[in-house]
Amino acid sequence: MNKNILITGGAGFIGSHVVRLFVTKYPNYKIVNLDALTYAGNLENLKDIDQSPNYYFEKVNILDADKIESVFKKHGITDVIHLAAESHVDRSIVSPLDFVYTNIIGTVNLLNVARHLWKEDYSNHLFYHVSTDEVYGALGKEGLFTETTPYHPNSPYSASKASSDHFVRAYAETYHMQTVISNCSNNYGPFHFPEKLIPLFINNIITKKPLPVYGDGLYTRDWLFVKDHALAIDLVFHQGKVDDTYNIGGFNEWTNIDLIKLLCKLMDEKLNRAPCESEQLITYVKDRPGHDRRYAIDATKINKELGWHPTVTFEQGLAETIDWFLANQEWLNNITSGAYANYYESMYTNR
Ligand code: NAD
Ligand code: TYD
């Protein structure tokens, strides 16, 4: 069946992988990438597919409900995969309201337009909301987040994503819209914006800048290669149970410091540097306020129900990521020479 899918946030990190996958795998679908091109949105991420006949781009802010409605009508949108968001925890600590606007109000705007235009027959339409494991809060040493773990967001970012998840569920209950939500663990891979841990540290290792480790470095994250997340989104979109939730993760927990040491080792090998040279760049800095100790996803449900599992090991994914950043330093330079440079200055000076 033909579909006209609106993918929001398609110029961002994960969104660009989802757009690429759908544009190339489903030539019969029309893929409309709606993105405001904030600091995190970059059309360079899609230049390999942006001439495809089934790809369209609309520069629209999801705070503008009228423009969203025009895009729905212009392209006859049948389904939404919603990724647009303010996504960086550290920025949410500095500017929580930006997260309320985009993540909560922007999501409700999209839901309202979809509700209004699809109301004749919701059964032919799906609103897929892409969310994060951070809505569940922090874990202690034991346990994993399942789909029934109570929400307990701790940062303005996760609070705004939790709220948007609740709205999506509420629209399914109240208006009988067909929705689905997935909550994924930390992603890494090509096109990752270099203010998040892995791309920031790759960039700093290349340029021999300090590697700022927050607190004691023993915080734990569960890392998933971004292309495996995109494949999971494809599966959930096509085969997921309507009005259900799927946790996505690779059972791949690392303390920050162990991950950073592995990254240093792999980068030293790639850059022909002396063993342990880059580890000398590790610098412990002041901790992030409200820093969640540990995230870890139980991905049993998506594995059993939809047959999804990661296609690459962490070592393979990390090697591909490092190779990509080394081969795409112009992409990196274009970002780090722009507005991001000011952000970096303000975050890490005097930390
Ligand atoms: P990102 O910050 O790289 O990209 C976000 C995109 O949304 C950008 O292209 C940006 O221009 C766009 N955008 C932001 N505000 C907008 C607005 N008001 N209107 C229209 N477009 C706007 O984020 P990401 O890391 O690719 O994350 C994508 C989604 O996946 C988010 O919803 C995030 O919560 C979720 N998620 C991310 C991770 C992760 O590890 N990065 C993990 C789980 C879930
Ligand atoms: P991040 O990539 O910001 O993702 P999230 O906070 O959404 O999990 O950070 C991953 C982990 O790395 C987190 O525990 C914070 C830590 N971190 C540092 O130690 N130093 C840094 O400069 C950054 C950006 C993150």
Side-chain angles (χ1 to χ4, degrees), residues 21 29 49 59 71-72 102 104 121 140-141 173 181 192 198 228 231 246 261 263 278 293 330-331 334 337 342 350-351:
L21 179 67
Y29 292 178
I49 57 98
K59 184 175 184 305
V71 170
F72 264 67
T102 287
I104 305 176
D121 182 5
K141 283 201 173 73
E173 282 296 319
I181 300 174
H192 205 178
I198 290 180
D228 279 326
L231 289 169
Y246 293 88
K261 286 184 176 163
L263 205 54
S278 298
R293 195 63 170 166
E330 201 186 322
W331 179 91
N334 286 347
S337 60
N342 300 332
N350 305 322
R351 188 157 185 144

Side-chain angles (χ1 to χ4, degrees), residues 8-16 33-42 45 60-63 82-88 101-103 106 129-134 157 161 182-188 191-193 195-196 223 229:
T8 70
F13 166 47
I14 301 171
S16 63
N33 171 13
L34 182 150
D35 198 298
L37 300 182
T38 67
Y39 77 93
N42 185 350
N45 297 0
V60 170
N61 193 310
I62 55 171
L63 293 177
H82 175 36
L83 295 107
E86 288 290 344
S87 69
H88 189 188
Y101 289 132
T102 287
N103 297 0
H129 180 58
V130 175
S131 193
T132 167
D133 61 353
E134 303 192 26
Y157 165 64
K161 289 297 291 187
S182 58
N183 297 82
C184 188
S185 61
N186 285 59
N187 285 213
Y188 69 96
F191 303 110
H192 205 178
F193 195 80
E195 66 185 13
K196 305 281 178 83
W223 294 95
H229 187 189

Side-chain angles (χ1 to χ4, degrees), residues 93-164:
I93 294 166
V94 179
S95 313
L97 262 182
D98 292 343
F99 288 68
V100 173
Y101 289 132
T102 287
N103 297 0
I104 305 176
I105 297 174
T107 301
V108 176
N109 278 339
L110 281 162
L111 284 165
N112 278 340
V113 172
R115 172 167 81 93
H116 171 61
L117 294 179
W118 294 347
K119 65 174 180 270
E120 295 305 319
D121 182 5
Y122 288 129
S123 67
N124 286 324
H125 305 287
L126 180 69
F127 190 103
Y128 181 169
H129 180 58
V130 175
S131 193
T132 167
D133 61 353
E134 303 192 26
V135 297
Y136 298 122
L139 290 164
K141 283 201 173 73
E142 302 295 322
L144 301 171
F145 297 133
T146 71
E147 287 79 1
T148 56
T149 301
Y151 276 30
H152 189 113
N154 291 318
S155 71
Y157 165 64
S158 53
S160 67
K161 289 297 291 187
S163 175
S164 63

Side-chain angles (χ1 to χ4, degrees), residues 219-337:
Y219 294 86
T220 300
R221 296 292 181 264
D222 182 356
W223 294 95
L224 181 69
F225 192 49
V226 63
K227 292 182 189 176
D228 279 326
H229 187 189
L231 289 169
I233 288 173
D234 179 14
L235 260 187
V236 171
F237 178 80
H238 288 99
Q239 292 173 38
K241 255 200 265 140
V242 165
D243 299 338
D244 212 342
T245 295
Y246 293 88
N247 280 359
I248 305 171
F251 293 103
N252 180 40
E253 289 184 54
W254 287 79
T255 61
N256 290 341
I257 195 64
D258 284 347
L259 166 58
I260 291 160
K261 286 184 176 163
L262 174 64
L263 205 54
C264 288
K265 178 173 163 288
L266 294 174
M267 293 284 293
D268 283 341
E269 286 164 12
K270 300 263 181 205
L271 295 167
N272 292 320
R273 291 186 185 162
C276 301
E277 186 177 328
S278 298
E279 273 195 28
Q280 311 304 316
L281 299 168
I282 291 175
T283 312
Y284 287 88
V285 299
K286 199 163 125 228
D287 210 348
R288 168 189 282 173
H291 197 167
D292 285 334
R293 195 63 170 166
R294 175 172 165 254
Y295 302 142
I297 281 276
D298 181 347
T300 307
K301 178 174 167 181
I302 188 168
N303 187 293
K304 284 211 168 124
E305 284 188 15
L306 305 183
W308 175 88
H309 50 80
T311 61
V312 295
T313 64
F314 191 46
E315 287 68 18
Q316 288 167 331
L318 212 48
E320 186 175 330
T321 304
I322 294 169
D323 288 343
W324 186 87
F325 276 96
L326 289 173
N328 289 277
Q329 291 196 38
E330 201 186 322
W331 179 91
L332 206 50
N333 291 340
N334 286 347
I335 290 171
T336 50
S337 60

